[in-house]
Amino acid sequence: MGIQLFVPTFNIERCMEEIKECLEKGWTGLGFKTVEFEDKWKDYTGHSNAHFLSSATAGLHLAVKIYKMKYGWKEDDEIISTPMTFVSTNHAIAYENMKIKFADVDEYLCLDPKSVRKQITDKTKAILFVGLGGNTGRLKEIIEICKEYNLKLILDAAHMAGTRFEGETPGLKADCTVYSFQAVKNLPTSDSGMICFNDAEDDEICRKMTWLGINKDTYARTNQKGNYKWKYDVEYLGYKYHGNSIIAGIGIAQLETLDRDNAFRRQICNWYDQRFKEIAGIKRVLVAGGCESSRHLYVIEIDNRDELLEYLNENEIYPGVHYRDNTEYGMYAHGKDECENSARMSERIMSLPLHLRLSKKDVDYVADKVIEFVNKNRHS
Ligand SMILES: *Cc1c(COP(=O)(O)O)cnc(C)c1O
């Protein structure tokens, strides 16, 4: 088997109970558990609105779409985003044919406020910030920039389930926050996500947009008993983006141990830190001050990254890379050579195995092999 990058762990008994409840009731779709999970997520995070989705990709798309509709953004208007992310982030902007202006990342691999400022023009409408690996980076300064220039802040919190900044959910200060509960995220289901708008009106539009634009209010008003269910209106060209009760049930079961699970992730990162902090040639991507990270990722920066990847593979350790600079992809080549740090880090970063089934012994084994390679390299 070796040591894998991610191995999701499920609270199997609790997941089965939740799923069984859905099956017995005969309710596996929208409503029931999706509503229960939304309520529990609001309680847990402090968000005033939460809508359960089939994925975070869907949520990021809707965040851009709904603001574009509401504020009349044009197709040549711009959103500032990061090249150091999973492509979903930037696809969300591209789906709506808006312009992506790439700003560079800082030492946290999050958007660098200095670089963001340089990208602002009179066409800039929003900033899309990614909390990479659960880190908040310089989000606080990005929030200030958004206030100063009257920009919307969309937070891609795909890695941030359970992250806190100065004791609070960081997304409470964004206009819209999107979480992912995809199969290998730190709150794994199979595929799902949550979108949290600060404004209740946006949440209301979003609920229609995730179910084909259907507005059920008409029949709810005219009939409480549930007849005339077909008498709804269709207000928007919406999508089929909402989540379902089976997956929401898994989400509910997983949320019960999220804080404990994230604490163990931080413990694992601590073990790596202890081993690496004195080693010249291994640079760790640190967690920003004030941030209690969900620790979705543990990232180091090294020379000869690809060779180290091969060396670790030979020793049955299977790390990953989060991420390749998106401007290396054909789709986003227009931003090439603009973000120096992203381009550089894209060649130098590696995510080490980080999941709940690792023991101290596993972590030490990975650390031994990384250190062995780095020392050999420095002396050859
Ligand atoms: C996983 C991920 C997404 C997409 O999440 P899905 O739920 O799989 O759609 C978006 N952004 C980042 C940074 C991610 O890691």
Side-chain angles (χ1 to χ4, degrees), residues 53-60 84-90 130-133 156-159 178-185 190-194 296-297 322-323:
L53 305 168
S54 54
S55 73
T57 304
L60 291 164
M84 185 55 72
T85 186
F86 186 59
V87 286
S88 288
T89 316
N90 292 315
V130 178
L132 204 102
D156 179 341
H159 304 171
V178 180
Y179 298 90
S180 174
F181 310 131
Q182 186 265 347
V184 297
K185 297 289 154 77
S190 56
D191 263 312
S192 60
M194 195 76 84
H296 177 55
L297 300 174
H322 300 88
Y323 288 93

Side-chain angles (χ1 to χ4, degrees), residues 243-302:
N244 69 60
S245 284
I246 297 281
I247 308 300
I250 297 177
I252 290 167
Q254 294 294 93
L255 176 59
E256 288 165 3
T257 56
L258 181 61
D259 280 339
R260 188 195 72 194
D261 295 345
N262 286 349
F264 184 53
R265 287 174 171 279
R266 287 191 291 275
Q267 171 68 263
I268 290 168
C269 294
N270 233 331
W271 287 332
Y272 278 129
D273 277 343
Q274 295 312 314
R275 295 295 310 277
F276 295 148
K277 66 181 182 190
E278 308 290 345
I279 311 286
I282 301 174
K283 203 168 160 202
R284 294 163 292 137
V285 173
L286 301 177
V287 175
C291 175
E292 184 182 64
S293 173
S294 60
R295 276 301 196 172
H296 177 55
L297 300 174
Y298 185 87
V299 182
I300 56 170
E301 183 198 337
I302 61 271

Side-chain angles (χ1 to χ4, degrees), residues 44 81 174 204 229 256 272 292 355:
Y44 174 77
S81 182
E204 206 177 303
K229 268 191 182 164
E256 288 165 3
Y272 278 129
E292 184 182 64
H355 58 78

Side-chain angles (χ1 to χ4, degrees), residues 1 6 48 75 83 106 115 156 196 251 270 284 294 317 360:
M1 258 297 273
F6 296 138
S48 48
E75 302 213 331
D106 57 17
S115 177
D156 179 341
C196 302
N270 233 331
R284 294 163 292 137
S294 60
I317 299 165
K360 173 84 165 51

Side-chain angles (χ1 to χ4, degrees), residues 2 39 48 59 90 110 112 160 165 174 182-183 270 317 366 378:
D39 288 340
S48 48
N90 292 315
C110 295
D112 183 345
M160 296 181 108
F165 182 75
Q182 186 265 347
N270 233 331
I317 299 165
V366 174
R378 288 171 58 78

Side-chain angles (χ1 to χ4, degrees), residues 41-55:
W41 189 251
K42 285 189 280 184
D43 279 348
Y44 174 77
T45 56
H47 283 294
S48 48
N49 303 289
H51 181 42
F52 186 58
L53 305 168
S54 54
S55 73

